[in-house]
Amino acid sequence: MAEGYSFVIADDHPLFRGALREALAGIGNVSAIHEAGDFDSAKALVLANEDIDLVMLDLSMPGASGLSGLISLRGIHPTVPLVVISAHDDAVTIRRAFDLGASGFISKSASMEAIREAVQSVLAGDIAAPVGVDLGVERDPEISDLIKRLKTLTPQQTRVLGMLAEGLLNKQIAYELGVSEATIKAHVSAILQKLGVDSRTQAVIQLAKIGGDPLAIPD
């Protein structure tokens, strides 16, 4: 008998997590639904459960800044489908989420049935985008170039970049990843080269440009 699906729901609102849990349970053949109320907990769940079939990630939750959370999780588990859930469902945010590796995007205003259908589409290997939204193309040449550069990072480099953004030192990153500090220094050098910057601070600033919540950026 085949095992059921295993999901991770990462959202800081308990009521919305409950709604997502109900939607996922309605799919059937579900063995586990893990919940996280902050980004650190979400990362821990993804690291601890290699059999995860799908992650649902809120873009606005403690410990993550917009799309930077998506980038970090893609580095940790690049093969697991990741569906973004957000109240910010403008075309720019949705398009950038897909450009950075999301398999689906669900608006927080979506119905239970729409959420269920989107998840089922992603589990079937398809991409789930909101109906009726014209994603267009990236019009900011700087962001377009940055996305292309981010795509050249290996999963481990992406993960290291996410940890740099958390303010961790090379020694701390090496400890968490179980590698030598020299290995981390090599990763950081490669990241700087691929992003076209001279320092780790500049690399983090670049990540913030794509990762930031567009509605939280002052005029």
Side-chain angles (χ1 to χ4, degrees):
M1 182 176 178
E3 294 184 1
Y5 293 119
S6 177
F7 299 109
V8 167
I9 298 173
D11 191 287
D12 61 330
H13 293 94
L15 288 178
F16 194 72
R17 286 203 308 272
L20 291 175
R21 172 181 281 274
E22 185 178 342
L24 293 176
I27 291 174
N29 192 30
V30 176
S31 64
I33 300 177
H34 308 281
E35 296 185 31
D38 58 64
F39 189 65
D40 285 343
S41 298
K43 285 197 303 180
L45 284 173
V46 172
L47 285 167
N49 296 276
E50 295 183 356
D51 61 342
I52 292 172
D53 293 292
L54 184 143
V55 176
M56 304 189 77
L57 174 68
D58 177 18
L59 288 184
S60 303
M61 63 188 305
S65 174
L67 291 165
S68 62
L70 165 62
I71 295 169
S72 294
L73 285 188
R74 296 303 300 155
I76 293 173
H77 223 324
T79 61
V80 173
L82 199 151
V83 175
V84 168
I85 47 177
S86 179
H88 305 149
D89 53 3
D90 57 283
V92 172
T93 300
I94 297 171
R95 183 182 61 252
R96 290 179 182 176
F98 284 125
D99 283 345
L100 292 168
S103 296
F105 193 104
I106 298 173
S107 170
K108 285 200 171 185
S109 62
S111 66
M112 294 284 281
E113 185 58 32
I115 294 172
R116 199 171 291 129
E117 289 178 358
V119 170
Q120 288 174 319
S121 292
V122 173
L123 290 173
D126 296 325
I127 297 295
V131 177
V133 178
D134 181 6
L135 300 183
V137 296
E138 182 59 59
R139 296 185 178 182
D140 185 330
E142 182 180 5
I143 295 298
S144 180
D145 179 65
L146 176 56
I147 290 174
K148 289 178 182 177
R149 289 176 180 272
L150 287 168
K151 286 182 176 180
T152 68
L153 299 180
T154 66
Q156 191 77 322
Q157 289 167 356
T158 302
R159 190 172 174 190
V160 169
L161 176 59
M163 297 170 87
L164 290 177
E166 293 171 23
L168 298 185
L169 302 174
N170 288 356
K171 184 183 298 184
Q172 295 170 305
I173 297 174
Y175 176 78
E176 287 206 24
L177 298 185
V179 298
S180 70
E181 191 171 347
T183 297
I184 298 304
K185 287 181 179 178
H187 281 318
V188 172
S189 294
I191 290 168
L192 299 185
Q193 183 178 16
K194 288 182 176 181
L195 294 185
V197 296
D198 299 321
S199 70
R200 50 197 290 152
T201 299
Q202 291 176 354
V204 172
I205 290 173
Q206 289 295 97
L207 182 61
K209 288 180 180 178
I210 185 64
D213 179 346
L215 297 187
I217 300 173
D219 294 332

